[in-house]
Amino acid sequence: MKYQSIFRPDLFGGQSVIVTGGGSGIGRCIAHEFAALGATVILASRDPLKLTSVQNEITEDGGRAYSVVCNIRDESDVQRLFEETLRLTQRIDHVVNNAGGQFMSRPESISLKGWDAVLETNLTGTFLMCRAAYKNWMKDHGGTIVNIVADFWNGMPLMAHTGAARAGVVNLTQSLALAWVEQGVRVNSVAPGIIRSSGLTKYPPMVQQALKEMVKELPTKRLGTESEVSAAVVFLSSPAASYITGETMRVDGASSFYRQMMPIGDHKNFPRFEGFHRQANVPEDL
Ligand code: ADE
């Protein structure tokens, strides 16, 4: 079984891509799809065990992947990631800034330390990655950057830190798209809704139960899949998106702008796209 990508198998032949947070969840799926389309994938994350595991999967599937342990909050780590990538692949065509993290809390209970940590990972880390991509390769050769954000559009009252950081990344995407247009660098974002990924299993049981209830309120009556997010990332990284830069593409089944203007009855009319042949650890009944 191979990754069931809808894109042609040699789309990224001879090219390389860095995927942060590539050791699990959506990032792991994106890494697999790029590898299935011929790219050499550099998996970057803080957890060496997860990296090795995904690297082995990709190799088993006939793809090419390397692992580099990197904390995107650390400027020197990020620089080392780009130097290591150039040593391994001699080029950096695409960067997918997928690594991120947050915790649930009412805003008044977020400590300064917690706030700083989430902002550093999701906003500053993304900036450091974009800047390093530009300075180490893309200013001379062009390239694409895709930042993964979230459905923050109407505020995130229980994750205000990540909402602020993701909104910052959307504006950063626009700034960089304009600043680097002359150098042929395209910068876009993808904003996923609630995705049936391994990340969801990390929330406490009460949140899991609330999620099940929330599914009934979604226009599509189902969660998104990892491969639906990956397909958007691959499209934005591909020549098919050559005239798209500074854009944030929502992959959320219309949930971010759904207000109960008219009742949507229970239905099963939104068939899933499940291209990822190695999907694992996703909640069974969501
Ligand atoms: N995933 C979550 N946080 C991260 C970080 N700081 N660096 C790399 N990957 C991450």
Side-chain angles (χ1 to χ4, degrees):
M1 180 95 177
K2 275 203 167 298
Y3 195 106
Q4 302 294 295
S5 178
I6 64 147
F7 299 94
R8 71 175 151 79
D10 62 340
L11 182 58
F12 299 118
Q15 300 187 359
S16 82
V17 57
I18 297 176
V19 182
T20 66
S24 61
I26 293 170
R28 170 173 165 261
C29 181
I30 293 168
H32 267 283
E33 184 161 14
F34 268 99
L37 301 175
T40 300
V41 180
I42 287 75
L43 301 154
S45 122
R46 286 177 304 179
D47 185 337
L49 290 180
K50 285 190 191 168
L51 287 178
T52 311
S53 155
V54 178
Q55 186 184 351
N56 288 342
E57 289 175 357
I58 290 176
T59 311
E60 259 179 48
D61 290 350
R64 271 183 306 275
Y66 296 103
S67 299
V68 180
V69 176
C70 171
N71 180 355
I72 57 166
R73 289 155 66 169
D74 183 325
E75 197 175 16
S76 58
D77 247 25
V78 170
Q79 181 54 27
R80 191 179 42 78
L81 165 64
F82 281 82
E83 283 167 12
E84 189 66 7
T85 301
L86 282 176
R87 194 182 63 75
L88 292 166
T89 67
Q90 289 78 53
R91 54 192 297 153
I92 306 163
D93 301 278
H94 313 283
V95 169
V96 181
N97 288 313
N98 162 80
Q102 57 273 314
F103 55 91
M104 279 184 133
S105 170
R106 290 192 56 81
E108 62 272 24
S109 307
I110 299 176
S111 67
L112 177 59
K113 190 164 168 250
W115 173 270
D116 283 346
V118 172
L119 268 286
E120 273 177 32
T121 301
N122 296 291
L123 179 57
T124 310
T126 300
F127 166 69
L128 292 176
M129 284 291 301
C130 291
R131 192 185 64 177
Y134 182 79
K135 289 173 89 164
N136 286 282
W137 182 259
M138 293 186 184
K139 76 172 180 332
D140 297 321
H141 305 90
T144 77
I145 299 174
V146 178
N147 302 316
I148 308 296
V149 291
D151 175 2
F152 63 83
W153 306 98
N154 297 325
M156 298 186 94
L158 293 179
M159 292 198 276
H161 39 27
T162 214
R166 309 302 184 145
V169 171
V170 166
N171 196 266
L172 178 67
T173 299
Q174 294 176 309
S175 299
L176 300 183
L178 290 172
W180 298 341
V181 71
E182 226 179 294
Q183 287 74 22
V185 182
R186 292 190 299 106
V187 189
N188 291 293
S189 292
V190 167
I194 312 174
I195 303 302
R196 189 166 159 262
S197 76
S198 58
L200 281 190
T201 59
K202 293 189 190 104
Y203 287 109
M206 219 178 77
V207 177
Q208 305 264 357
Q209 191 50 43
L211 273 171
K212 270 182 207 154
E213 295 304 314
M214 274 166 72
V215 173
K216 295 181 199 151
E217 307 299 325
L218 297 176
T220 54
K221 308 294 178 186
R222 69 161 177 86
L223 300 186
T225 69
E226 294 170 339
S227 33
E228 285 162 346
V229 177
S230 182
V233 173
V234 165
F235 165 69
L236 289 171
S237 306
S238 79
S242 295
Y243 204 54
I244 302 177
T245 191
E247 176 65 342
T248 297
M249 181 186 280
R250 302 181 198 211
V251 181
D252 65 8
S255 58
S256 56
F257 52 89
Y258 175 51
R259 298 279 173 287
Q260 290 256 11
M261 302 166 218
M262 52 161 231
I264 297 180
D266 198 14
H267 69 86
K268 286 199 168 31
N269 293 333
F270 250 69
R272 286 179 178 135
F273 168 58
E274 293 276 20
F276 189 13
H277 63 307
R278 279 193 184 262
Q279 189 184 59
N281 300 325
V282 304
E284 264 312 309
D285 49 351
L286 278 176

